[in-house]
Amino acid sequence: MKKVFLFLFAAVLLFGLAACGGSEGNKGGYDYDAIPDTMEADSYEIAFVTDIGQLKDKSFNQGTWEGLKRFAHENNKSYKYYQPANANNATDDDRYNAMKAAVDGGAKIVVCAGFMQFTALEKIAKESPEVKFVFVDGWNFGLENVTAIIFQEEQAGYLAGYAAVKEGYTKLGFSGGGGGTNPACQRFGYGYIQGANDAAKEAGITVDMKYSWLHGSTFSASAELQTMLEGWYSTGTQIVFSCGGSMCTSAFAAAAANNGKVIGVDVDQANDSPTVITSAMKGLREGTIYALEKFYAGNWSEIADKSANLGVNDAAVGLPTEEASWRFSKFTVEEYEALFAKLKDGSIKVDATVEGAEEKTYSNVTLDWVK
């Protein structure tokens, strides 16, 4: 049975999450690009094994990597990233080989991104009990050398959906990654529906939402995805929540060609496209840094074989509130902060149970499942 606990996350606050709204900004006021992605060393004691998609995907991989290399840079630790062979078609063997290369390369701790890493991670962790592993978007599974960091993405999705409707958008879209099997993307999307529904109910209106997992199984941009989204925008969709790694590139292009808007994901993507009006964020950088700090402080036992389930109460999810990133003209930061506070005190509860979401009906959202 999974052991789930909430980190107090004091260390996170030191790295720029605003307590009122969980915002870290596009780069949290930190120049991550100034830290090299590669370095010369005889061995590398901190390693990152990417999920499918590119290292610089402007989203999940990139956010995790930036947290890792920041910690390594500031603490004078050697570091390296490993990408499984065969890119988006990587197998469990490919992922295992990347993890094995990291261990053979001197890794003391390996950060593995994405729930698809489980089979390979379980194998390598059993073979290498002296090495510690951080399973981002994963779970604990009975090994003392593994810890997991997960997020309450449904809360971030809720905030984004609520804000979009409050801003005046009534024709919404959701384009998700993982083909509908990725738990994090599912939680983002389900929360998005709930937030839009509650805002529409308050306004006494009904909103329409196109909802699809098409062309997102590899979390990558594609001509097919861009064509689909351009079709949405050209027929009335005003804003699309693009949820899945470098899929965002297709969403940005489709929105730009049709005067549409995009909701970014995982990190603040405002600087990546003028079409981004907000982003449903989670503290990938901060969560990664937190686990590394525990390890190097000699406190691994506090997180061994445990899962941190981080949400609003940990300032680990939210929308960016910096002036450069807040592109709403009707929905205010003050209204957002009041909504965030209701999530924190429990007066608003967001359902995280994604099973059966396609069969559910909503009082003020008309869903069009695009399959």
Side-chain angles (χ1 to χ4, degrees), residues 34-262:
I35 307 172
D37 290 324
T38 58
M39 64 179 298
E40 294 294 330
D42 294 329
S43 63
Y44 302 90
E45 63 179 88
I46 305 178
F48 175 48
V49 177
T50 67
D51 196 5
I52 57 176
Q54 299 300 309
L55 178 72
K56 296 297 185 69
D57 61 0
K58 302 181 186 296
S59 185
F60 183 69
N61 280 331
Q62 185 167 339
T64 307
W65 174 237
E66 286 176 347
L68 185 152
K69 70 176 184 175
R70 175 176 178 170
F71 176 88
H73 177 74
E74 293 184 342
N75 291 276
N76 195 32
K77 305 295 182 184
S78 59
Y79 60 96
K80 184 176 181 178
Y81 71 89
Y82 299 80
Q83 292 191 277
N86 296 312
N88 295 331
N89 296 314
T91 65
D92 288 334
D93 286 342
D94 294 327
R95 285 182 272 272
Y96 170 82
N97 290 338
M99 295 175 197
K100 184 68 163 55
V103 171
D104 291 345
K108 296 179 179 178
I109 184 167
V110 181
V111 177
C112 301
F115 80 112
M116 295 175 70
Q117 306 274 22
F118 168 68
T119 300
L121 176 54
E122 183 180 37
K123 180 180 178 181
I124 192 70
K126 287 180 177 178
E127 292 175 354
S128 310
E130 74 286 358
V131 178
K132 303 299 188 286
F133 296 87
V134 181
F135 192 8
V136 181
D137 269 6
W139 54 91
N140 59 298
F141 45 89
L143 296 178
E144 292 295 320
N145 59 332
V146 178
T147 192
I149 297 174
I150 58 176
F151 299 89
Q152 296 173 50
E153 291 92 353
E154 71 279 359
Q155 295 176 340
Y158 180 96
L159 292 166
Y162 185 97
V165 174
K166 283 294 185 180
E167 181 66 10
Y169 296 108
T170 59
K171 306 291 185 182
L172 285 65
F174 173 84
S175 176
T181 64
N182 178 279
C185 290
Q186 289 176 297
R187 290 191 293 268
F188 268 128
Y190 187 29
Y192 181 60
I193 299 172
Q194 293 175 73
N197 191 70
D198 282 0
K201 188 184 301 183
E202 290 177 10
I205 62 174
T206 298
V207 301
D208 299 320
M209 183 184 296
K210 292 185 181 297
Y211 200 98
S212 183
W213 302 105
L214 283 177
H215 313 305
S217 60
T218 63
F219 298 90
S220 300
S222 69
E224 294 81 6
L225 177 60
Q226 184 173 331
T227 297
M228 182 184 78
L229 296 181
E230 285 186 350
W232 289 10
Y233 284 119
S234 67
T235 55
T237 298
Q238 300 161 305
I239 186 167
V240 172
F241 182 13
S242 174
C243 182
S246 58
M247 289 171 61
C248 62
T249 306
S250 293
F252 298 159
N258 293 275
N259 197 32
K261 297 298 181 184
V262 173

Side-chain angles (χ1 to χ4, degrees), residues 336-354:
Y336 165 73
E337 290 175 343
L339 179 67
F340 192 92
K342 289 180 179 179
L343 286 174
K344 279 190 79 171
D345 67 23
S347 55
I348 294 177
K349 297 184 184 299
V350 187
D351 187 1
T353 308
V354 297

